């Protein structure tokens, strides 16, 4: 595994995450920077953004430290996205909240049509890393490093970007320390967003 | 962990608050862990439920539109009667089933269902949203040549995206033959079939 892009969201509050984050086309709300984390602009609406600073390989992963206080389950939660289309509401969504059952959802959006692929139950703590990968047609989910047993083969979406997602309506959803990557052995690309570093410093540190 | 497998309808409009999901999820197994393969845009799925209580299983399979697979997938169908039953069950949900023999194992049936679901999903992702294959006058006996040019090309594109041989996608070939071929090629290629954490 190689991280291609990381984002700590450690920067001033802003209605926009930045130039390389793109609001998903087709009905999802955007995210904002709030208290050095990414949060849905309005927790009453679904949100999704894909990251576009690299050319994403088809086989990819994304992870983030997730936080939410909701206990709704059944598809409500904060999390990551895989194979997110650049110009359609098409992506895999992996979200979690703190419901007593069915609190982790794997779903797909295909041209806006929403299908649940799996629901799992796991106890977790705010700040845990929610991880998802897709290789070929196999999607694997992990929470705090442990596999959720929700591995599912799905062949609907063959390519796209990694990103972040949210399914409403939750309470106080946010995510932090996002990372997206691939399964090649390439060297690490410099972080996209380090507000305190100049381009010259970044080039000096990674070559 | 035990995974119980079923073929049953998909319900839901595919929108917020009403996602496409296995029928009876809300009423019979609302708190159990599960995973499914949708049959693309068709209203059927292969569902795996984790550690389903016996009483819940009984309630679920009591529905006429649900059929379950036995716990021991590696046993053969065995009898002509059971063979005919499973042939009919698959054909009724527009999955080719006439290939099943008395020596066919339940695992071979499950893997075949999973494989054709993957092909149907690729078609779903590439073609017009909501464009189901079947319905109206289109059945498994419908020939490739009688389909619209757009559907024919989308079928070829979906198969080609897996690297399948599409030489059999000709005018006289039926959807039964084409879908069977795609399923067989998916299995022959060794592509993954994971459902609810279990390799089928």
């Amino acid at each position: 595994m190689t991280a291609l892009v990381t984002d700590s969201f450690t920067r001033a509050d802003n209605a926009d995450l930045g130039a390389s984050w793109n609001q998903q086309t087709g009905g999802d709300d955007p995210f904002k920077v709030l208290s050095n984390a990414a949060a849905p602009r309005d927790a009453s609406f679904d949100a999704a953004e894909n990251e576009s600073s690299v050319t994403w390989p088809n086989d990819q992963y994304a992870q983030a430290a997730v936080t939410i206080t909701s206990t709704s389950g059944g598809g409500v939660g904060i999390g990551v996205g895989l194979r997110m289309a650049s110009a359609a509401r098409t992506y895999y969504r992996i979200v979690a909240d703190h419901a007593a059952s069915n609190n982790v959802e794997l779903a797909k959006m295909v041209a806006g049509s929403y299908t649940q692929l799996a629901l799992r139950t796991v106890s977790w703590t705010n700040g845990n890393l929610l991880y998802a990968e897709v290789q070929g047609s196999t999607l694997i989910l992990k929470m705090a490093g442990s596999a959720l047993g929700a591995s599912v083969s799905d062949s609907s979406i063959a390519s796209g970007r990694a990103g972040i997602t949210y399914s409403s309506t939750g309470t106080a959803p946010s995510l932090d320390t996002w990372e997206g990557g691939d399964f090649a052995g390439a060297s690490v690309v410099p972080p996209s967003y380090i507000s305190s570093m100049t381009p010259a410093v970044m080039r000096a540190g990674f070559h | 962990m035990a995974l119980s497998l079923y073929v049953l309808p998909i319900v839901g409009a595919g929108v917020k608050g009403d996602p496409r999901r296995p029928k009876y999820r809300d009423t019979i197994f609302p708190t159990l862990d599960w995973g499914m393969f949708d049959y693309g845009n068709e209203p059927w799925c292969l569902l795996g439920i984790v550690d389903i209580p016996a009483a819940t299983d009984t309630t679920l399979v009591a529905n006429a539109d649900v059929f379950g697979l036995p716990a021991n997938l590696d046993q053969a169908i065995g009898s002509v009667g059971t063979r005919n039953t499973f042939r009919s069950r698959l054909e009724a949900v527009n999955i080719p089933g006439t290939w099943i023999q008395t020596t066919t194992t339940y695992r071979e049936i499950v893997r075949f269902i999973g494989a054709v679901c993957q092909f149907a999903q690729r078609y779903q992702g590439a073609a017009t949203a909501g464009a189901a294959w079947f319905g109206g006058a289109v059945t498994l006996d419908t020939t490739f040549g009688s389909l619209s040019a757009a559907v024919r090309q989308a079928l070829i594109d979906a198969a080609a995206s897996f690297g399948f041989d599409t030489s059999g996608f000709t005018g006289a070939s039926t959807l039964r033959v084409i879908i069977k071929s795609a399923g067989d090629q998916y299995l022959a290629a060794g592509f993954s079939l994971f459902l609810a954490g279990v390799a089928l």
Side-chain angles (χ1 to χ4, degrees):
Chain A
M1 290 170 53
T2 302
L4 296 178
V5 182
T6 62
D7 195 343
S8 66
F9 304 107
T10 302
R11 47 190 180 275
D13 288 2
N14 198 305
D16 195 315
L17 293 183
S20 291
W21 287 100
N22 311 278
Q23 179 182 355
Q24 201 67 22
T25 303
D28 284 303
D29 250 27
F31 278 76
K32 62 186 177 184
V33 180
L34 177 67
S35 303
N36 296 315
R41 187 176 294 183
D42 185 334
S44 300
F45 301 103
D46 289 7
E49 295 213 25
N50 61 76
E51 208 285 338
S52 62
S53 66
V54 298
T55 299
W56 288 93
N58 298 338
D59 292 348
Q60 60 188 229
Y61 74 88
Q63 64 181 29
V66 290
T67 296
I68 195 168
T69 59
S70 309
T71 58
S72 301
V76 172
I78 185 88
V80 297
L82 296 172
R83 291 184 178 171
M84 307 177 79
S86 60
R89 197 181 188 203
T90 295
Y91 52 85
Y92 292 113
R93 181 174 76 187
I94 302 92
V95 295
D97 79 352
H98 294 288
S101 63
N102 287 175
N103 65 320
V104 180
E105 178 201 63
L106 167 62
K108 62 182 173 183
M109 294 285 185
V110 178
S113 180
Y114 167 26
T115 301
Q116 289 185 320
L117 299 178
L119 288 178
R120 299 295 285 196
T121 302
V122 65
S123 178
W124 61 281
T125 303
N126 281 340
N128 281 165
L129 273 179
L130 177 61
Y131 167 95
E133 69 173 59
V134 58
Q135 295 195 64
S137 294
T138 302
L139 294 119
I140 294 175
L141 314 184
K142 297 180 183 179
M143 177 67 86
S146 297
L148 296 182
S151 307
V152 171
S153 297
D154 186 275
S155 297
S156 295
I157 308 169
S159 63
R161 300 168 178 169
I164 54 179
T165 60
Y166 164 70
S167 177
S168 61
T169 299
T171 305
S174 69
L175 55 88
D176 203 350
T177 57
W178 182 86
E179 177 180 305
D182 67 9
F183 300 96
S187 58
V188 177
V189 173
S192 295
Y193 302 99
I194 302 178
S195 59
S196 61
M197 294 176 67
T198 65
V201 171
M202 291 168 66
R203 285 194 295 274
F206 303 93
H207 58 273
Chain B
M1 183 193 85
L3 188 69
S4 298
L5 299 169
Y6 310 87
V7 175
L8 73 168
I10 284 177
V11 295
V15 298
K16 181 73 174 178
D18 191 24
R20 296 176 75 239
R21 63 198 185 279
K23 190 178 182 183
Y24 308 114
R25 184 208 76 180
D26 303 344
T27 54
I28 296 179
F29 56 97
T31 63
L32 298 180
D33 289 353
W34 59 268
M36 80 162 183
F37 296 156
D38 61 343
Y39 186 24
N41 294 321
E42 305 306 316
W44 299 96
C45 69
L46 175 65
L47 168 71
I49 301 178
V50 178
D51 296 333
I52 187 171
T56 306
D57 173 82
T58 299
T59 302
L60 182 58
V61 298
N63 293 283
D65 53 4
V66 177
F67 72 88
L69 286 298
N72 180 6
L73 294 178
D74 294 309
Q75 62 180 315
I77 290 289
S79 72
V80 170
T82 304
R83 179 203 70 185
N84 292 344
T85 295
F86 273 84
R87 283 181 175 179
S88 297
R89 284 172 171 171
L90 262 63
E91 294 276 324
V93 301
N94 289 316
I95 293 176
T98 56
W99 59 276
I100 296 173
Q101 305 297 329
T102 57
T103 53
T104 304
T105 66
Y106 290 100
R107 187 177 299 281
E108 289 174 311
I109 294 174
V110 163
R111 287 178 53 78
F112 178 77
I113 294 172
V116 300
C117 284
Q118 299 302 312
F119 174 62
Q121 289 162 10
R122 183 59 55 85
Y123 178 95
Q124 172 195 61
T128 306
W133 289 330
F134 302 102
V138 179
T139 69
L140 283 169
D141 293 319
T142 299
T143 61
F144 184 74
S146 66
L147 301 170
S148 73
V151 172
R152 294 199 303 269
Q153 190 60 52
L155 283 166
I156 291 173
D157 291 345
S161 74
F162 285 111
F164 296 166
D165 175 7
T166 60
S167 61
F169 288 36
T170 59
S173 297
T174 62
L175 279 175
R176 178 181 288 100
V177 168
I178 288 169
I179 294 170
K180 176 67 165 60
S181 172
D184 288 344
Q185 292 192 67
Y186 188 95
L187 294 173
F191 294 133
S192 71
L193 284 171
F194 280 95
L195 184 59
V198 174
L200 299 181

